[in-house]
Amino acid sequence: MRSSNFDILLNRISLFLIISLILFAYFNSLLIGLSWDENFHHVNGLLRFKYLSSLGKFQNYDFLNNKYYPGLYDTISYAIGHILQVFDENFYQKHIVEIKHSINFLFSVFSLLGLYLTLNFLFNKSISLLAVLLTLLNPFFFGHMGMNPKDIIIFFSLIWFCYFFYKYLFYEKNIY
């Protein structure tokens, strides 16, 4: 019985630290300015959004020059900003950095949720909370939560792919 009380206390402390670090990360992501490549990704999203919204009639985009930057996330990020711009153009122009960092931050939080769900599915709640806490304590992840339009989306895609892959393997095939 004592071990389970210790596990409950450890889980509560871990959860408190995770929530505190997530709030602190959001505060930081609103304070920091643009990273060196965010303008490129914003323009990349703008040009691809124009191409898609014109159904291919917009031809001022060099796809061959950007073959290493596919730009799906850039396009989605710009499209969310464009929707906000339709409602209030002044708000979007005034807070474009905060909006882009908030979008990146949301993908970071959903990545942490996917990590928690994946590890909770494979192991248990204590291990998954500890892994999320260690991920948040990693300076590379924590520093990139709001401002990095490349690495966070790769982590997001990887962790959710693994989650659904394991769910498919263990539930659909009844291996578990």
Side-chain angles (χ1 to χ4, degrees), residues 147-164:
M147 67 172 204
N148 193 329
K150 294 180 296 298
D151 299 337
I152 294 299
I153 195 64
I154 291 171
F155 179 64
F156 174 85
S157 303
L158 172 70
I159 206 68
W160 282 103
F161 171 80
C162 290
Y163 174 73
F164 288 115

Side-chain angles (χ1 to χ4, degrees), residues 103-171:
I103 294 168
N104 291 338
F105 178 78
L106 283 174
F107 274 94
S108 300
V109 170
F110 285 129
S111 300
L112 292 171
L113 175 65
L115 178 65
Y116 172 79
L117 292 174
T118 302
L119 293 178
N120 193 29
F121 177 73
L122 294 174
F123 300 108
N124 62 25
K125 184 178 182 177
S126 297
I127 290 175
S128 57
L129 283 174
L130 184 63
V132 169
L133 181 61
L134 290 174
T135 302
L136 273 170
L137 289 173
N138 182 347
F140 292 110
F141 184 84
F142 187 83
H144 289 239
M145 281 182 77
M147 67 172 204
N148 193 329
K150 294 180 296 298
D151 299 337
I152 294 299
I153 195 64
I154 291 171
F155 179 64
F156 174 85
S157 303
L158 172 70
I159 206 68
W160 282 103
F161 171 80
C162 290
Y163 174 73
F164 288 115
F165 180 72
Y166 292 138
K167 292 280 277 193
Y168 172 76
L169 273 182
F170 292 125
Y171 281 130

Side-chain angles (χ1 to χ4, degrees), residues 2-16:
R2 189 168 195 142
S3 173
S4 67
N5 287 339
F6 180 72
D7 287 343
I8 291 171
L9 179 65
L10 188 63
N11 288 345
R12 287 183 180 171
I13 291 171
S14 298
L15 190 60
F16 173 76

Side-chain angles (χ1 to χ4, degrees), residues 36-50:
W36 64 275
D37 62 344
E38 280 188 273
N39 284 330
F40 166 77
H41 289 285
H42 180 72
V43 171
N44 191 30
L46 165 75
L47 294 174
R48 288 182 181 252
F49 180 79
K50 282 185 177 181

Side-chain angles (χ1 to χ4, degrees), residues 11-42:
N11 288 345
R12 287 183 180 171
I13 291 171
S14 298
L15 190 60
F16 173 76
L17 288 172
I18 289 168
I19 291 170
S20 300
L21 285 170
I22 286 174
L23 292 174
F24 185 57
Y26 186 63
F27 175 74
N28 286 339
S29 70
L30 294 178
L31 286 181
I32 59 176
L34 290 172
S35 66
W36 64 275
D37 62 344
E38 280 188 273
N39 284 330
F40 166 77
H41 289 285
H42 180 72

Side-chain angles (χ1 to χ4, degrees), residues 60-76:
N60 293 338
Y61 185 72
D62 185 11
F63 284 99
L64 295 177
N65 194 24
N66 279 334
K67 64 183 175 182
Y68 297 115
Y69 293 102
L72 177 62
Y73 179 69
D74 296 339
T75 309
I76 292 169

